[in-house]
Amino acid sequence: MLRALLLSFLLGQVLGLKVCVIHMHGLFESDEDNVGFKNFIEKKTGIPVYLISRYSDVASLSPLKYQAEDILEDVKVIASQYDQVIAVGYSQGGIIWRSMIEMWDDHNVVLFISLASPQHGASGVPPQVKNIPFLDTSFAYSSIGQALSIFNYYFDPSAYDLYLKKNTFFTELNNEAGTSAEKEQRKKNFLKLSKLVLIGGSGDDRIVPWQSTVFGSYTKEGVDGGVVIPMEDSRLYVEDLFGLRSMVERGDLMKCVYPRIAHLEFRDDRKMLKRCVLPALKPYYQI
């Protein structure tokens, strides 16, 4: 690890750049759950990794709008000490990071790694709680449901009009709602990224559908239809609502589909990190 840190220091001296990773944890987690990620990345690259501790455990159920606003204040303090920031968001943390990037007008985030994060929303509840009768679309889009973070990114394509009306957080995040000026600024901020890396896999046992991690989603028939369309056929991409298509056309979006590991393993599975994360970080630590 000492050698890696020395290499990172020398790179900073040569290029005159200071780089760090800021990692946001997932639902019902804390920074302690992601120490394995921090240790692995710092050992392999020498890039310092900061683990955000706010809104841990039960507090992670707080509405995402407030989480993103509060956490951004902490992030700005860290980011002010560096020339470039690499954002890593695991699970719900990836949604929070995208929200922060879109609302942060003068950000210095160059790389955003979305790690097993439901970027196109969660269509239906996780398999572990699917038998609870009241956890359905009506509840998700109710005032009670929208007071819980897990339903702030609930997306049922079969109830799209209801989604647009009731889910203010995710519709704004995806630039499906808001004034023209707000949409333009969010898209501008998103496209300031130099690269976006989307990581997920078919072994994910919590995100429904798992393809949401790479911006896939169900068709308008929803969960019952069972048909998933890829990112390239989604409205978010076709209409380039917040910059996905533009990023692809620039050659700055990378997908890494890694099968056979469950949702929690995406935190710090070594083989996955070597295949999906280290190649994305390579430009920032190799001389």
Side-chain angles (χ1 to χ4, degrees):
M1 181 176 179
L2 181 60
R3 178 177 179 274
L5 288 169
L6 178 59
L7 287 175
S8 180
F9 171 77
L10 292 174
L11 179 61
Q13 296 302 303
V14 172
L15 300 180
L17 297 175
K18 291 179 64 180
V19 183
C20 76
V21 171
I22 304 179
H23 180 287
M24 183 61 209
H25 63 77
L27 183 70
F28 293 128
E29 286 193 333
S30 72
D31 53 328
E32 295 178 358
D33 293 300
N34 296 278
V35 170
F37 175 91
K38 171 182 171 69
N39 291 342
F40 180 84
I41 296 301
E42 289 185 341
K43 179 178 180 180
K44 292 294 183 180
T45 71
I47 302 173
V49 177
Y50 294 86
L51 301 177
I52 298 298
S53 60
R54 290 186 81 169
Y55 288 97
S56 297
D57 304 317
V58 176
S60 65
L61 280 172
S62 303
L64 291 183
K65 172 181 171 60
Y66 304 129
Q67 288 198 51
E69 290 174 347
D70 291 346
I71 293 167
L72 181 56
E73 297 307 309
D74 293 347
V75 165
K76 285 181 176 180
V77 172
I78 300 170
S80 67
Q81 304 170 51
Y82 293 87
D83 299 296
Q84 296 180 333
V85 169
I86 297 167
V88 177
Y90 166 69
S91 194
Q92 180 175 277
I95 302 295
I96 293 172
W97 245 124
R98 180 154 71 94
S99 179
M100 292 192 292
I101 289 168
E102 290 186 15
M103 71 171 68
W104 188 2
D105 293 347
D106 58 347
H107 73 75
N108 56 342
V109 180
V110 290
L111 170 63
F112 174 29
I113 299 176
S114 175
L115 192 53
S117 178
Q119 291 293 344
H120 208 314
S123 298
V125 298
Q128 292 85 348
V129 293
K130 66 179 181 181
N131 293 323
I132 300 178
F134 66 84
L135 294 182
D136 56 13
T137 295
S138 296
F139 177 81
Y141 293 145
S142 69
S143 58
I144 297 175
Q146 287 301 298
L148 301 171
S149 66
I150 193 171
F151 293 115
N152 291 159
Y153 45 93
Y154 185 91
F155 176 62
D156 182 354
S158 69
Y160 189 65
D161 290 340
L162 185 62
Y163 157 77
L164 290 176
K165 183 179 180 180
K166 298 294 187 178
N167 191 327
T168 57
F169 172 80
F170 211 52
T171 53
E172 289 183 1
L173 181 68
N174 291 330
N175 258 0
E176 296 164 293
T179 67
S180 297
E182 290 169 342
K183 291 179 180 180
E184 182 180 357
Q185 190 61 52
R186 284 194 289 262
K187 186 173 182 178
K188 179 181 178 181
N189 292 344
F190 182 79
L191 286 174
K192 283 183 66 179
L193 291 169
S194 297
K195 198 167 191 73
L196 170 66
V197 178
L198 304 172
I199 302 171
S202 56
D204 196 307
D205 55 346
R206 298 199 177 185
I207 295 176
V208 181
W210 72 263
Q211 291 94 332
S212 177
T213 60
V214 289
F215 277 105
S217 71
Y218 285 118
T219 61
K220 64 181 181 179
E221 285 74 28
V223 177
D224 293 337
V227 178
V228 176
I229 60 173
M231 174 187 75
E232 292 77 7
D233 292 335
S234 70
R235 182 190 176 204
L236 302 184
Y237 182 89
V238 172
E239 297 183 23
D240 201 28
L241 292 184
F242 60 89
L244 274 181
R245 194 183 75 231
S246 293
M247 190 158 281
V248 169
E249 291 171 350
R250 281 176 10 194
D252 294 328
L253 189 151
M254 183 186 87
K255 297 180 186 179
C256 186
V257 175
Y258 194 88
R260 296 185 297 277
I261 64 172
H263 186 71
L264 291 179
E265 294 177 276
F266 276 98
R267 284 175 178 165
D268 55 12
D269 182 87
R270 299 300 189 264
K271 291 182 179 179
M272 180 277 299
L273 293 176
K274 287 179 180 177
R275 176 177 162 185
C276 298
V277 176
L278 288 184
L281 296 179
K282 193 174 183 179
Y284 300 96
Y285 71 90
Q286 285 207 347
I287 298 177

Short mmCIF file of all heavy atoms in Angstrom, two decimals, residues 19-24 37 47-50 52 75 84-90 93-94 96-101 104 107-115 119 193 195-199 277 280-281 284:
data_model
loop_
_atom_site.label_atom_id
_atom_site.label_comp_id
_atom_site.label_asym_id
_atom_site.label_seq_id
_atom_site.Cartn_x
_atom_site.Cartn_y
_atom_site.Cartn_z
N VAL A 19 -6.11 13.79 -6.73
CA VAL A 19 -7.33 13.04 -7.02
C VAL A 19 -7.75 12.24 -5.79
O VAL A 19 -6.91 11.70 -5.07
CB VAL A 19 -7.11 12.07 -8.21
CG1 VAL A 19 -8.40 11.34 -8.55
CG2 VAL A 19 -6.59 12.81 -9.42
N CYS A 20 -9.05 12.15 -5.57
CA CYS A 20 -9.57 11.30 -4.50
C CYS A 20 -10.83 10.59 -4.95
O CYS A 20 -11.46 10.97 -5.96
CB CYS A 20 -9.84 12.10 -3.23
SG CYS A 20 -11.35 13.11 -3.30
N VAL A 21 -11.20 9.56 -4.22
CA VAL A 21 -12.46 8.86 -4.42
C VAL A 21 -13.37 9.20 -3.24
O VAL A 21 -12.95 9.16 -2.08
CB VAL A 21 -12.26 7.33 -4.48
CG1 VAL A 21 -13.60 6.60 -4.45
CG2 VAL A 21 -11.46 6.94 -5.71
N ILE A 22 -14.61 9.54 -3.53
CA ILE A 22 -15.61 9.75 -2.48
C ILE A 22 -16.72 8.73 -2.70
O ILE A 22 -17.37 8.71 -3.75
CB ILE A 22 -16.18 11.18 -2.49
CG1 ILE A 22 -15.05 12.21 -2.37
CG2 ILE A 22 -17.19 11.35 -1.35
CD1 ILE A 22 -15.53 13.66 -2.39
N HIS A 23 -16.93 7.89 -1.71
CA HIS A 23 -17.83 6.75 -1.81
C HIS A 23 -19.07 6.96 -0.96
O HIS A 23 -18.99 7.32 0.21
CB HIS A 23 -17.08 5.48 -1.35
CG HIS A 23 -17.89 4.22 -1.40
ND1 HIS A 23 -18.90 3.95 -0.50
CD2 HIS A 23 -17.82 3.15 -2.23
CE1 HIS A 23 -19.43 2.77 -0.78
NE2 HIS A 23 -18.80 2.26 -1.82
N MET A 24 -20.25 6.71 -1.57
CA MET A 24 -21.52 6.82 -0.85
C MET A 24 -22.13 5.45 -0.66
O MET A 24 -22.29 4.70 -1.62
CB MET A 24 -22.49 7.73 -1.62
CG MET A 24 -23.82 7.95 -0.87
SD MET A 24 -23.57 8.76 0.73
CE MET A 24 -24.95 8.10 1.67
N PHE A 37 -13.97 -2.08 0.36
CA PHE A 37 -13.76 -1.35 -0.89
C PHE A 37 -12.64 -0.34 -0.73
O PHE A 37 -11.73 -0.25 -1.57
CB PHE A 37 -15.06 -0.63 -1.30
CG PHE A 37 -14.92 0.24 -2.51
CD1 PHE A 37 -15.17 -0.26 -3.77
CD2 PHE A 37 -14.53 1.58 -2.39
CE1 PHE A 37 -15.04 0.55 -4.90
CE2 PHE A 37 -14.40 2.39 -3.50
CZ PHE A 37 -14.65 1.87 -4.76
N ILE A 47 -4.92 5.90 -4.44
CA ILE A 47 -5.85 7.02 -4.41
C ILE A 47 -6.60 7.00 -3.08
O ILE A 47 -7.18 5.98 -2.71
CB ILE A 47 -6.87 6.94 -5.57
CG1 ILE A 47 -6.15 6.92 -6.92
CG2 ILE A 47 -7.85 8.11 -5.51
CD1 ILE A 47 -7.07 6.68 -8.11
N PRO A 48 -6.60 8.10 -2.34
CA PRO A 48 -7.33 8.12 -1.07
C PRO A 48 -8.83 7.97 -1.29
O PRO A 48 -9.39 8.57 -2.21
CB PRO A 48 -6.98 9.48 -0.47
CG PRO A 48 -6.56 10.32 -1.63
CD PRO A 48 -5.92 9.39 -2.61
N VAL A 49 -9.46 7.16 -0.45
CA VAL A 49 -10.89 6.91 -0.55
C VAL A 49 -11.59 7.43 0.71
O VAL A 49 -11.24 7.05 1.82
CB VAL A 49 -11.19 5.40 -0.71
CG1 VAL A 49 -12.70 5.15 -0.73
CG2 VAL A 49 -10.54 4.86 -1.98
N TYR A 50 -12.56 8.29 0.52
CA TYR A 50 -13.35 8.83 1.62
C TYR A 50 -14.72 8.14 1.63
O TYR A 50 -15.40 8.11 0.60
CB TYR A 50 -13.54 10.34 1.47
CG TYR A 50 -12.27 11.13 1.60
CD1 TYR A 50 -11.44 11.34 0.49
CD2 TYR A 50 -11.88 11.69 2.82
CE1 TYR A 50 -10.26 12.07 0.60
CE2 TYR A 50 -10.71 12.43 2.93
CZ TYR A 50 -9.91 12.61 1.83
OH TYR A 50 -8.74 13.34 1.93
N ILE A 52 -18.43 8.23 3.00
CA ILE A 52 -19.43 9.11 3.60
C ILE A 52 -20.19 8.35 4.69
O ILE A 52 -20.65 7.23 4.47
CB ILE A 52 -20.42 9.63 2.55
CG1 ILE A 52 -19.67 10.47 1.50
CG2 ILE A 52 -21.53 10.46 3.20
CD1 ILE A 52 -18.99 11.70 2.04
N VAL A 75 -19.48 16.57 0.99
CA VAL A 75 -18.70 16.25 -0.21
C VAL A 75 -17.91 17.46 -0.70
O VAL A 75 -16.74 17.35 -1.10
CB VAL A 75 -19.63 15.72 -1.31
CG1 VAL A 75 -18.93 15.72 -2.68
CG2 VAL A 75 -20.11 14.30 -0.98
N GLN A 84 -9.46 16.81 -8.73
CA GLN A 84 -10.44 15.94 -9.38
C GLN A 84 -11.02 14.96 -8.37
O GLN A 84 -10.31 14.46 -7.49
CB GLN A 84 -9.78 15.17 -10.53
CG GLN A 84 -9.28 16.06 -11.65
CD GLN A 84 -8.63 15.26 -12.78
OE1 GLN A 84 -8.12 14.16 -12.58
NE2 GLN A 84 -8.66 15.81 -13.98
N VAL A 85 -12.31 14.69 -8.54
CA VAL A 85 -13.01 13.76 -7.66
C VAL A 85 -13.56 12.60 -8.48
O VAL A 85 -14.10 12.81 -9.58
CB VAL A 85 -14.17 14.46 -6.92
CG1 VAL A 85 -15.07 13.44 -6.23
CG2 VAL A 85 -13.63 15.46 -5.92
N ILE A 86 -13.40 11.40 -7.94
CA ILE A 86 -14.01 10.20 -8.52
C ILE A 86 -15.16 9.81 -7.60
O ILE A 86 -14.96 9.54 -6.42
CB ILE A 86 -12.99 9.05 -8.63
CG1 ILE A 86 -11.86 9.45 -9.59
CG2 ILE A 86 -13.68 7.77 -9.10
CD1 ILE A 86 -10.66 8.53 -9.54
N ALA A 87 -16.37 9.83 -8.13
CA ALA A 87 -17.55 9.51 -7.34
C ALA A 87 -17.88 8.02 -7.49
O ALA A 87 -17.94 7.51 -8.62
CB ALA A 87 -18.74 10.34 -7.82
N VAL A 88 -18.10 7.36 -6.37
CA VAL A 88 -18.52 5.96 -6.38
C VAL A 88 -19.78 5.86 -5.53
O VAL A 88 -19.77 6.23 -4.35
CB VAL A 88 -17.44 5.01 -5.84
CG1 VAL A 88 -17.97 3.58 -5.80
CG2 VAL A 88 -16.18 5.09 -6.68
N GLY A 89 -20.86 5.38 -6.11
CA GLY A 89 -22.11 5.21 -5.38
C GLY A 89 -22.56 3.77 -5.45
O GLY A 89 -22.80 3.24 -6.55
N TYR A 90 -22.65 3.13 -4.28
CA TYR A 90 -23.12 1.75 -4.24
C TYR A 90 -24.61 1.71 -3.95
O TYR A 90 -25.09 2.37 -3.01
CB TYR A 90 -22.36 0.96 -3.16
CG TYR A 90 -23.00 -0.38 -2.83
CD1 TYR A 90 -22.99 -1.42 -3.75
CD2 TYR A 90 -23.66 -0.57 -1.62
CE1 TYR A 90 -23.60 -2.63 -3.48
CE2 TYR A 90 -24.27 -1.77 -1.33
CZ TYR A 90 -24.25 -2.80 -2.26
OH TYR A 90 -24.87 -3.99 -1.98
N GLY A 93 -26.73 4.60 -2.90
CA GLY A 93 -25.71 5.64 -2.93
C GLY A 93 -25.42 6.15 -4.33
O GLY A 93 -25.00 7.30 -4.51
N GLY A 94 -25.66 5.31 -5.35
CA GLY A 94 -25.47 5.74 -6.73
C GLY A 94 -26.52 6.74 -7.16
O GLY A 94 -26.25 7.66 -7.94
N ILE A 96 -28.01 8.80 -5.03
CA ILE A 96 -27.64 10.02 -4.30
C ILE A 96 -26.51 10.75 -5.03
O ILE A 96 -26.55 11.98 -5.19
CB ILE A 96 -27.25 9.69 -2.85
CG1 ILE A 96 -28.47 9.18 -2.08
CG2 ILE A 96 -26.64 10.91 -2.16
CD1 ILE A 96 -28.15 8.65 -0.70
N TRP A 97 -25.52 10.01 -5.49
CA TRP A 97 -24.40 10.65 -6.18
C TRP A 97 -24.85 11.32 -7.48
O TRP A 97 -24.44 12.43 -7.81
CB TRP A 97 -23.27 9.65 -6.46
CG TRP A 97 -22.02 9.95 -5.72
CD1 TRP A 97 -21.32 9.12 -4.88
CD2 TRP A 97 -21.26 11.17 -5.75
NE1 TRP A 97 -20.22 9.75 -4.37
CE2 TRP A 97 -20.14 11.01 -4.90
CE3 TRP A 97 -21.42 12.39 -6.39
CZ2 TRP A 97 -19.20 12.01 -4.69
CZ3 TRP A 97 -20.48 13.40 -6.18
CH2 TRP A 97 -19.38 13.20 -5.33
N ARG A 98 -25.72 10.65 -8.24
CA ARG A 98 -26.19 11.29 -9.48
C ARG A 98 -26.95 12.57 -9.17
O ARG A 98 -26.82 13.58 -9.87
CB ARG A 98 -27.04 10.33 -10.31
CG ARG A 98 -27.53 10.95 -11.62
CD ARG A 98 -27.80 9.91 -12.68
NE ARG A 98 -28.96 9.10 -12.44
CZ ARG A 98 -30.19 9.35 -12.91
NH1 ARG A 98 -30.40 10.44 -13.64
NH2 ARG A 98 -31.18 8.53 -12.68
N SER A 99 -27.74 12.53 -8.11
CA SER A 99 -28.47 13.73 -7.71
C SER A 99 -27.51 14.86 -7.34
O SER A 99 -27.71 16.02 -7.74
CB SER A 99 -29.38 13.40 -6.52
OG SER A 99 -30.09 14.55 -6.10
N MET A 100 -26.46 14.53 -6.59
CA MET A 100 -25.49 15.57 -6.20
C MET A 100 -24.78 16.15 -7.41
O MET A 100 -24.56 17.35 -7.50
CB MET A 100 -24.48 14.98 -5.20
CG MET A 100 -25.09 14.64 -3.85
SD MET A 100 -23.87 14.28 -2.56
CE MET A 100 -23.16 12.74 -3.15
N ILE A 101 -24.42 15.30 -8.35
CA ILE A 101 -23.73 15.77 -9.56
C ILE A 101 -24.62 16.73 -10.35
O ILE A 101 -24.18 17.78 -10.81
CB ILE A 101 -23.32 14.57 -10.45
CG1 ILE A 101 -22.17 13.80 -9.78
CG2 ILE A 101 -22.91 15.03 -11.84
CD1 ILE A 101 -21.88 12.45 -10.41
N TRP A 104 -24.95 20.22 -8.59
CA TRP A 104 -23.68 20.86 -8.22
C TRP A 104 -23.11 21.56 -9.45
O TRP A 104 -22.46 20.95 -10.28
CB TRP A 104 -22.74 19.79 -7.68
CG TRP A 104 -21.46 20.25 -7.08
CD1 TRP A 104 -21.01 21.51 -6.91
CD2 TRP A 104 -20.45 19.39 -6.56
NE1 TRP A 104 -19.79 21.51 -6.33
CE2 TRP A 104 -19.41 20.21 -6.10
CE3 TRP A 104 -20.32 18.00 -6.44
CZ2 TRP A 104 -18.25 19.69 -5.53
CZ3 TRP A 104 -19.17 17.48 -5.88
CH2 TRP A 104 -18.15 18.32 -5.41
N HIS A 107 -19.02 21.50 -10.05
CA HIS A 107 -18.37 20.31 -9.50
C HIS A 107 -17.08 19.95 -10.23
O HIS A 107 -16.86 20.34 -11.40
CB HIS A 107 -19.34 19.12 -9.50
CG HIS A 107 -19.62 18.51 -10.85
ND1 HIS A 107 -18.71 17.71 -11.50
CD2 HIS A 107 -20.73 18.55 -11.63
CE1 HIS A 107 -19.23 17.30 -12.64
NE2 HIS A 107 -20.45 17.79 -12.76
N ASN A 108 -16.21 19.24 -9.53
CA ASN A 108 -14.95 18.76 -10.12
C ASN A 108 -14.91 17.24 -10.16
O ASN A 108 -13.86 16.63 -10.07
CB ASN A 108 -13.75 19.30 -9.34
CG ASN A 108 -13.79 18.97 -7.85
OD1 ASN A 108 -14.84 18.64 -7.31
ND2 ASN A 108 -12.65 19.07 -7.18
N VAL A 109 -16.11 16.64 -10.34
CA VAL A 109 -16.20 15.19 -10.48
C VAL A 109 -15.89 14.83 -11.93
O VAL A 109 -16.54 15.32 -12.86
CB VAL A 109 -17.60 14.67 -10.11
CG1 VAL A 109 -17.67 13.15 -10.26
CG2 VAL A 109 -17.97 15.09 -8.69
N VAL A 110 -14.88 14.00 -12.12
CA VAL A 110 -14.49 13.62 -13.48
C VAL A 110 -14.99 12.24 -13.86
O VAL A 110 -15.22 11.95 -15.04
CB VAL A 110 -12.95 13.68 -13.65
CG1 VAL A 110 -12.47 15.12 -13.61
CG2 VAL A 110 -12.24 12.83 -12.60
N LEU A 111 -15.15 11.38 -12.87
CA LEU A 111 -15.55 10.00 -13.12
C LEU A 111 -16.63 9.61 -12.12
O LEU A 111 -16.48 9.82 -10.92
CB LEU A 111 -14.33 9.07 -12.97
CG LEU A 111 -14.58 7.55 -12.96
CD1 LEU A 111 -15.18 7.08 -14.28
CD2 LEU A 111 -13.27 6.81 -12.66
N PHE A 112 -17.71 9.03 -12.62
CA PHE A 112 -18.80 8.55 -11.76
C PHE A 112 -18.95 7.06 -11.98
O PHE A 112 -19.27 6.61 -13.09
CB PHE A 112 -20.09 9.29 -12.08
CG PHE A 112 -21.31 8.76 -11.35
CD1 PHE A 112 -21.22 8.16 -10.10
CD2 PHE A 112 -22.57 8.88 -11.92
CE1 PHE A 112 -22.34 7.68 -9.43
CE2 PHE A 112 -23.71 8.42 -11.27
CZ PHE A 112 -23.58 7.81 -10.03
N ILE A 113 -18.70 6.28 -10.92
CA ILE A 113 -18.86 4.83 -10.98
C ILE A 113 -20.13 4.46 -10.21
O ILE A 113 -20.21 4.62 -9.00
CB ILE A 113 -17.64 4.11 -10.38
CG1 ILE A 113 -16.38 4.48 -11.17
CG2 ILE A 113 -17.85 2.59 -10.38
CD1 ILE A 113 -15.10 3.89 -10.60
N SER A 114 -21.11 3.97 -10.95
CA SER A 114 -22.38 3.56 -10.37
C SER A 114 -22.32 2.06 -10.13
O SER A 114 -22.29 1.26 -11.06
CB SER A 114 -23.53 3.92 -11.33
OG SER A 114 -24.76 3.43 -10.85
N LEU A 115 -22.30 1.68 -8.87
CA LEU A 115 -22.01 0.30 -8.48
C LEU A 115 -23.28 -0.40 -7.97
O LEU A 115 -23.76 -0.13 -6.88
CB LEU A 115 -20.94 0.32 -7.38
CG LEU A 115 -20.24 -0.96 -6.97
CD1 LEU A 115 -19.63 -1.67 -8.17
CD2 LEU A 115 -19.16 -0.64 -5.94
N GLN A 119 -30.27 2.76 -11.34
CA GLN A 119 -30.31 4.08 -11.98
C GLN A 119 -31.57 4.34 -12.78
O GLN A 119 -31.95 5.48 -12.99
CB GLN A 119 -29.07 4.24 -12.87
CG GLN A 119 -27.76 4.36 -12.12
CD GLN A 119 -27.66 5.66 -11.31
OE1 GLN A 119 -28.41 6.60 -11.51
NE2 GLN A 119 -26.72 5.69 -10.37
N LEU A 193 -19.15 15.45 -16.49
CA LEU A 193 -18.40 14.23 -16.21
C LEU A 193 -17.55 13.86 -17.42
O LEU A 193 -17.98 13.99 -18.57
CB LEU A 193 -19.36 13.06 -15.93
CG LEU A 193 -20.17 13.11 -14.63
CD1 LEU A 193 -21.24 12.01 -14.66
CD2 LEU A 193 -19.25 12.91 -13.42
N LYS A 195 -16.38 10.68 -17.60
CA LYS A 195 -16.74 9.30 -17.87
C LYS A 195 -17.77 8.80 -16.86
O LYS A 195 -17.74 9.18 -15.68
CB LYS A 195 -15.50 8.40 -17.82
CG LYS A 195 -15.69 7.06 -18.51
CD LYS A 195 -14.36 6.35 -18.71
CE LYS A 195 -14.50 5.15 -19.63
NZ LYS A 195 -14.70 5.50 -21.05
N LEU A 196 -18.66 7.95 -17.35
CA LEU A 196 -19.65 7.28 -16.52
C LEU A 196 -19.46 5.78 -16.66
O LEU A 196 -19.40 5.26 -17.78
CB LEU A 196 -21.07 7.68 -16.96
CG LEU A 196 -22.23 6.88 -16.35
CD1 LEU A 196 -22.32 7.14 -14.85
CD2 LEU A 196 -23.55 7.25 -17.04
N VAL A 197 -19.36 5.08 -15.54
CA VAL A 197 -19.21 3.63 -15.54
C VAL A 197 -20.39 3.02 -14.81
O VAL A 197 -20.65 3.33 -13.64
CB VAL A 197 -17.89 3.20 -14.86
CG1 VAL A 197 -17.78 1.68 -14.82
CG2 VAL A 197 -16.69 3.80 -15.59
N LEU A 198 -21.12 2.14 -15.49
CA LEU A 198 -22.29 1.47 -14.94
C LEU A 198 -21.96 0.01 -14.69
O LEU A 198 -21.59 -0.71 -15.62
CB LEU A 198 -23.48 1.58 -15.90
CG LEU A 198 -23.89 3.00 -16.32
CD1 LEU A 198 -24.95 2.93 -17.41
CD2 LEU A 198 -24.41 3.79 -15.12
N ILE A 199 -22.11 -0.42 -13.45
CA ILE A 199 -21.75 -1.79 -13.07
C ILE A 199 -22.95 -2.49 -12.46
O ILE A 199 -23.63 -1.95 -11.58
CB ILE A 199 -20.59 -1.79 -12.07
CG1 ILE A 199 -19.36 -1.08 -12.66
CG2 ILE A 199 -20.21 -3.21 -11.66
CD1 ILE A 199 -18.24 -0.84 -11.66
N VAL A 277 -13.79 -1.97 -11.91
CA VAL A 277 -13.46 -0.69 -11.29
C VAL A 277 -12.03 -0.25 -11.59
O VAL A 277 -11.79 0.90 -11.98
CB VAL A 277 -13.71 -0.74 -9.77
CG1 VAL A 277 -13.26 0.56 -9.10
CG2 VAL A 277 -15.20 -0.98 -9.48
N ALA A 280 -11.28 1.51 -14.87
CA ALA A 280 -11.79 2.88 -14.93
C ALA A 280 -10.91 3.85 -14.17
O ALA A 280 -10.79 5.03 -14.52
CB ALA A 280 -13.22 2.92 -14.38
N LEU A 281 -10.27 3.35 -13.11
CA LEU A 281 -9.41 4.21 -12.29
C LEU A 281 -8.00 4.35 -12.87
O LEU A 281 -7.27 5.25 -12.48
CB LEU A 281 -9.31 3.63 -10.89
CG LEU A 281 -10.59 3.56 -10.05
CD1 LEU A 281 -10.31 2.92 -8.69
CD2 LEU A 281 -11.20 4.93 -9.87
N TYR A 284 -6.04 7.52 -13.59
CA TYR A 284 -5.84 8.45 -12.50
C TYR A 284 -4.76 8.04 -11.50
O TYR A 284 -4.48 8.75 -10.55
CB TYR A 284 -7.17 8.63 -11.74
CG TYR A 284 -8.26 9.16 -12.65
CD1 TYR A 284 -9.17 8.29 -13.25
CD2 TYR A 284 -8.34 10.51 -12.95
CE1 TYR A 284 -10.16 8.76 -14.11
CE2 TYR A 284 -9.32 10.99 -13.81
CZ TYR A 284 -10.22 10.11 -14.38
OH TYR A 284 -11.18 10.58 -15.24
#
